[in-house]
Amino acid sequence: MPKALEDAFLNDPDPKMAEIAALVRQHREAEAVRLQQLVFEQKARLVEADRQLVQKLTKKWSEERRIATDKIEGALQKLAHLNRAQPRDSDSRIYPGYYLPVMIWEDGRRVLRPMRYLCRPPGKPEANDHRFPGTYNARMTSLEGYWSGVFGITHGVVLASAFYEHVNRHRAEQRALAEGEKVEDVILEFKPRPEHNMLLACVWAHWTAPGKEDLYSVALVTDDPPPEVSQAGHDRCVIPIDPSNLDAWLQPDRNNLAESYRILREKEAIRPYYEHRIAA
C-alpha cells in the first residue's frame, strides 16, 4: 500500500477515513521494516557469494549471487513503491488474494463487506487455496459443481470499471509465433465502451473452522468471452448484471436456480464492447 493511498483517505472529509488511513500507515510501516530486513539479509548473501566466487567459480555460488541480486532489486523497488506520494491508476487494481468491497444482501438491505478475492467455499480445506489458485473465478459451467455450496445461496456484485487478464503477446496481436520466438506474457486491460461502472456477478463464502479465523471470500462468475475478448487471446469473461436484476441476484432462491441462470444469461443483452490495451 503506497503512501498515496494513505493520503487519499486522509484527504476525505469523513472522519472514519482517518481510521482507515491509520491502518494503511501501520501496514506500510510494517512492510517497510520487512523489506529493509530482506535487503539486509540478501546483501549478506551477496557478499558471501562474491567471497566464494573469488576463491572458485562454481554454479552454486553464481546462482546464489543471481538470486540475491534479484531479491535486493525487487525489495528496493517495493520500498520505493511504498513511499510513492503520487497516485497511479494501478493503485485501484485488485489482484487475487487482495481484499475488495463486495455488495451483498444482509439484514434486509444491501451492504458492502470486505472479502478476499480468492474464494474458499464452506467445507473446503485451506489447502485448496494453493491446490486451486484460480478460484478467484467461478466458471458458469461449474456453478453446480465445485461452487454448489454457494451458487443459489450467497451471491454478490463487485463494482468495476475494467478487468485485466494475462494473455500471450502473439495471441493478443492475432499472429502466430515467429520462428525461434519465445512465448511472452502480457497483461491486457479490458474497458467497456462507452466507459461505465459494471456490476459484476460473483459468488461468495463465509468459511469457518474450529480454531481458525473466519474468512469472507469471493469469486467472480465468468463465462465464454465475446469475440473481441477471444480475439485478444483470452478464453473467458466476467459477467455484468443488469441493474434491474440486482436485488433478485443478491437474494437468490436455492430452489429456483433457473432464475439465477436467467439473470446471468441476460449478459448478452447488456454486455458492452470491451476495448483492450496493454496495461501499464
Side-chain angles (χ1 to χ4, degrees):
M1 294 183 182
K3 186 176 185 300
L5 183 58
E6 177 189 334
D7 292 342
F9 284 110
L10 284 174
N11 291 330
D12 193 295
D14 187 341
K16 292 183 178 179
M17 295 300 102
E19 298 177 21
I20 297 177
L23 292 173
V24 172
R25 185 186 311 112
Q26 180 181 350
H27 171 82
R28 183 166 56 81
E29 291 173 351
E31 184 68 359
V33 170
R34 185 187 72 82
L35 290 169
Q36 288 163 357
Q37 179 65 28
L38 177 61
V39 169
F40 176 81
E41 292 170 354
Q42 294 306 311
K43 282 185 175 180
R45 184 181 188 180
L46 182 59
V47 168
E48 177 62 16
D50 285 340
R51 188 180 70 82
Q52 294 288 343
L53 288 169
V54 166
Q55 298 176 26
K56 183 179 179 180
L57 185 62
T58 65
K59 181 178 179 180
K60 173 189 174 182
W61 289 106
S62 294
E63 184 67 4
E64 283 288 297
R65 190 181 197 288
R66 182 193 65 79
I67 293 172
T69 300
D70 288 348
K71 288 192 173 184
I72 291 170
E73 181 181 349
L76 290 175
Q77 288 177 351
K78 290 179 179 178
L79 276 169
H81 176 69
L82 282 177
N83 295 319
R84 174 171 49 81
Q86 295 301 316
R88 295 177 182 170
D89 290 343
S90 59
D91 291 339
S92 60
R93 194 180 305 175
I94 303 297
Y95 296 88
Y98 282 28
Y99 276 73
L100 75 165
V102 181
M103 183 185 295
I104 64 173
W105 192 268
E106 192 174 85
D107 297 328
R109 61 194 179 100
R110 302 173 195 162
V111 299
L112 290 176
R113 180 178 287 278
M115 298 190 190
R116 188 188 70 177
Y117 181 37
L118 183 70
C119 195
R120 187 192 305 160
K124 302 293 185 182
E126 287 183 83
N128 275 19
D129 294 355
H130 301 286
R131 289 181 60 203
F132 306 111
T135 50
Y136 51 88
N137 285 331
R139 287 185 179 270
M140 191 169 170
T141 53
S142 302
L143 290 176
E144 293 182 71
Y146 184 86
W147 301 102
S148 61
V150 289
F151 178 55
I153 303 172
T154 48
H155 293 179
V157 296
V158 171
L159 190 67
S161 59
F163 65 96
Y164 298 81
E165 301 290 357
H166 287 260
V167 303
N168 298 147
R169 180 181 290 278
H170 69 282
R171 292 191 63 192
E173 296 174 352
Q174 300 179 36
R175 60 176 178 81
L177 275 174
E179 185 177 352
E181 180 185 5
K182 293 183 179 180
V183 175
E184 180 186 358
D185 184 69
V186 295
I187 301 175
L188 295 186
E189 176 191 70
F190 292 90
K191 276 197 170 183
R193 289 292 182 262
E195 290 190 26
H196 64 280
N197 288 326
M198 301 174 288
L199 297 173
L200 300 183
C202 61
V203 290
W204 62 273
H206 179 199
W207 183 90
T208 61
K212 301 288 185 178
E213 290 188 9
D214 286 14
L215 173 69
Y216 284 88
S217 58
V218 64
L220 291 175
V221 181
T222 62
D223 197 12
D224 294 336
E228 70 273 15
V229 174
S230 178
Q231 290 167 9
H234 202 61
D235 63 354
R236 63 180 179 269
C237 187
V238 294
I239 300 179
I241 292 290
D242 189 311
S244 66
N245 289 322
L246 177 58
D247 287 345
W249 173 254
L250 296 181
Q251 303 174 80
D253 181 354
R254 179 64 173 171
N255 298 314
N256 186 11
L257 296 182
E259 173 63 6
S260 293
Y261 279 121
R262 179 196 67 78
I263 294 172
L264 293 173
R265 292 191 177 106
E266 283 197 1
K267 68 181 184 299
E268 301 299 339
I270 68 165
R271 184 160 58 189
Y273 178 87
Y274 294 112
E275 186 174 277
H276 73 271
R277 66 179 181 88
I278 294 179

